[in-house]
Amino acid sequence: MAVKRASQVKKSVWLTPQPARGRRGTRAAGTAAGGAGGLDREVVVAAAVRLLDEQGEAKFSMRALAARLDVTPMSLYWYVSDKDDLLELALDVVAGEMERPRPSDGLSWQDGMRALAVTWRAAMLAHPWAVRLYNDYLNIGPNSIQFSACALEVARSSPLPEDDAMAALSAIFQYAYGFTANEVNWDEKATAAGTTEEGLIAEITEAVMQIPEIAESGVLTDRPVDSEQLLREQHFHRALDWMLAGMAAGLANPAT
């Protein structure tokens, strides 16, 4: 894969001055007074989030968004420079939905770490497109920064040394990201196949069981009776229990 030159790397929307014409309350030139009189960047981004929720990022386009807002596609560029800027702004809206646990509210550091993982996962499951875009952008918008600051406050409220606290925070988010990305992937595969996750897994299991070595091993004969959603919920929290217990255990047995 070719490495991009520095001049080819796109700057974050949060690091790029926005034109005055895109400020809140301005009207895009060439739009109809009846349909776009209240159009501003906040309205455009909110509409983009709704469209992304409905169609996903693969089908999302500036033309589709313009049609949803009943404006011309070019009028959107009064508020954002391009599609990348719009997606980055939409991601920050998702970050704004995440709760911010505060140690000052009497929350223990372990409960605070858990709350960070839980609210991050919930926001991504509510907006599945976001988990796929999360690593494509810097995520330095105001909502993202406030959530990150909250996460740092939770980590530093622990009795862990600074380096260990940062490592613990990284581990929690890496776990939440990987777990949630896998959830979204399975859910979308099932939807695309016109079935449920249980139905898709049963279909895959049946096909795999046709392989003699697998059938003879007996490893796929006993499937859990609970729904995949319930199992995921149980597994997510159980693994968090283990991670947090391990972090606490590190206090009693510090590395030498």
Side-chain angles (χ1 to χ4, degrees):
M1 183 175 64
V3 177
K4 289 186 176 182
R5 296 190 303 271
S7 60
Q8 294 177 310
V9 178
K10 186 182 181 301
K11 285 187 177 181
S12 166
V13 65
W14 306 107
L15 302 177
T16 305
Q18 295 298 302
R21 64 190 181 187
R23 290 176 183 164
R24 180 177 176 84
T26 58
R27 179 184 293 179
T31 57
L39 195 66
D40 58 33
R41 194 167 81 166
E42 186 175 307
V43 171
V44 170
V45 174
V49 170
R50 290 193 296 271
L51 193 58
L52 284 161
D53 288 346
E54 294 171 17
Q55 300 182 355
E57 80 285 359
K59 295 182 179 179
F60 179 81
S61 69
M62 299 294 277
R63 186 173 297 277
L65 179 60
R68 174 63 59 89
L69 289 168
D70 193 25
V71 298
T72 62
M74 287 304 297
S75 68
L76 296 178
Y77 296 100
W78 280 68
Y79 307 103
V80 291
S81 296
D82 53 31
K83 179 180 173 180
D84 277 318
D85 281 2
L86 186 53
L87 291 174
E88 193 175 9
L89 290 164
L91 276 173
D92 199 58
V93 170
V94 174
E97 297 179 6
M98 299 176 190
E99 297 179 3
R100 297 168 193 161
R102 298 290 184 187
S104 56
D105 294 333
L107 205 63
S108 71
W109 69 272
Q110 294 102 323
D111 287 343
M113 287 282 199
R114 181 186 297 279
L116 289 169
V118 167
T119 192
W120 192 91
R121 173 176 173 244
M124 294 296 158
L125 290 179
H127 308 281
W129 52 272
V131 75
R132 283 189 294 273
L133 297 180
Y134 192 76
N135 280 339
D136 292 342
Y137 299 94
L138 292 176
N139 296 302
I140 55 173
N143 290 320
S144 295
I145 291 296
Q146 289 179 43
F147 183 75
S148 295
C150 172
L152 288 172
E153 184 181 350
V154 169
R156 287 170 175 155
S157 73
S158 77
L160 296 167
E162 177 75 8
D163 287 348
D164 287 352
M166 294 304 101
L169 189 61
S170 177
I172 290 291
F173 278 111
Q174 291 295 333
Y175 166 68
Y177 174 82
F179 193 100
T180 307
N182 189 56
E183 285 185 276
V184 168
N185 182 47
W186 272 99
D187 182 64
E188 293 185 341
K189 276 183 168 56
T191 300
T195 185
T196 62
E197 286 186 63
E198 291 80 6
L200 181 59
I201 290 172
E203 183 180 335
I204 293 172
T205 301
E206 183 178 354
V208 171
M209 286 293 289
Q210 302 306 310
I211 303 173
E213 293 82 356
I214 299 297
E216 292 168 6
S217 71
V219 296
L220 297 179
T221 55
D222 297 321
R223 286 292 304 163
V225 296
D226 292 327
S227 70
E228 288 301 314
Q229 183 176 2
L230 179 58
L231 286 172
R232 283 201 308 265
E233 200 68 25
Q234 293 172 344
H235 294 169
F236 180 77
H237 286 280
R238 189 65 179 131
L240 272 179
D241 288 341
W242 291 332
M243 293 178 72
L244 292 167
M247 294 171 189
L251 290 170
N253 301 285
T256 57

